[in-house]
Amino acid sequence: MLTWQLEPLPTLLSLAFGYLLGSIPFGLILTRMAGLGDVRRIGSGNIGATNVLRTGNKKLAAATLVLDALKGTTAAAIAARWGLDAGIAAGFAAFIGHLFPVWLGFRGGKGVATYLGILLGLAPIMLAVFAAVWLAVAYLSRYSSLSALVATAATPVVLWLTGNEKVALLFAVLTLITWWKHRANIARLMKGTESKIGDKG
């Protein structure tokens, strides 16, 4: 059976630290510093790397991807010094912070980069599994969104099967939230109108 050791103070500190770190809107900050205006006014309107890429600046998009991922890694890894449960709490809070940053009216990104960052902080070997699933689906379908959806669905299953039950439960929750944030993509996939990798516009 799973046993959780949630000490009140470390848990509260982990949640606060994770949320504050996760809520840093790197996509918005980087595009404004580069003189490209407000990234929320283009494309999907979110602050993630995919939308930053719509500015035409691949370097900024890559930097956003890395920094959004590192938010999750840093939160989970530092808090995990208090124990795995604290790391899980901080990772979850960082994910929520990225999706719903208080500074931007609770309108943030879709969370895939931060999801990966948390995975790196808590179960780094799983990054290879995620990448393998993502690449396989992308090669077969050419849909980036579908690749992310399938890879996030596979992640908690593999974590559970390899004995990482607590981390698996965290990622089951994160996967459900990720799918909810991608509901528009899912609708377009079902209609056959979703953009494929390499499509312009």
Side-chain angles (χ1 to χ4, degrees), residues 75-100:
I78 290 179
R81 295 181 180 181
W82 284 322
L84 178 60
D85 294 347
I88 288 173
F92 174 75
F95 187 78
I96 296 301
H98 177 72
L99 268 60
F100 308 106

Side-chain angles (χ1 to χ4, degrees), residues 61-85:
T64 301
L65 179 68
V66 171
L67 290 171
D68 281 349
L70 288 177
K71 294 190 298 190
T73 304
T74 303
I78 290 179
R81 295 181 180 181
W82 284 322
L84 178 60
D85 294 347

Side-chain angles (χ1 to χ4, degrees), residues 17-191:
F17 172 63
Y19 180 85
L20 290 174
L21 191 59
S23 67
I24 300 173
F26 284 116
L28 179 62
I29 293 170
L30 292 176
T31 50
R32 281 186 170 174
M33 289 178 63
L36 298 176
D38 192 335
V39 70
R40 295 170 296 176
R41 297 183 181 277
I42 65 171
S44 64
N46 72 53
I47 60 172
T50 299
N51 206 42
V52 173
L53 185 59
R54 293 190 174 99
T55 66
N57 193 316
K58 294 181 180 180
K59 291 182 179 179
L60 279 186
T64 301
L65 179 68
V66 171
L67 290 171
D68 281 349
L70 288 177
K71 294 190 298 190
T73 304
T74 303
I78 290 179
R81 295 181 180 181
W82 284 322
L84 178 60
D85 294 347
I88 288 173
F92 174 75
F95 187 78
I96 296 301
H98 177 72
L99 268 60
F100 308 106
V102 63
W103 330 111
L104 303 180
F106 302 102
R107 296 181 63 184
K110 292 185 177 180
V112 175
T114 307
Y115 183 109
L116 289 173
I118 300 165
L119 197 59
L120 176 61
L122 297 176
I125 191 66
M126 278 299 302
L127 280 179
V129 176
F130 187 102
V133 174
W134 194 97
L135 289 170
V137 177
Y139 177 78
L140 293 172
S141 71
R142 291 184 57 235
Y143 286 116
S144 176
S145 57
L146 180 62
S147 302
L149 291 168
V150 175
T152 55
T155 296
V157 175
V158 177
L159 282 167
W160 187 272
L161 293 176
T162 54
N164 296 301
E165 289 91 353
K166 287 185 177 181
V167 181
L169 288 176
L170 167 66
F171 279 94
V173 173
L174 299 189
T175 294
L176 289 174
I177 298 172
T178 299
W179 278 56
W180 177 74
K181 289 291 288 184
H182 282 78
R183 59 194 183 280
N185 300 86
I186 294 171
R188 289 193 295 269
L189 284 167
M190 294 178 68
K191 294 177 181 178

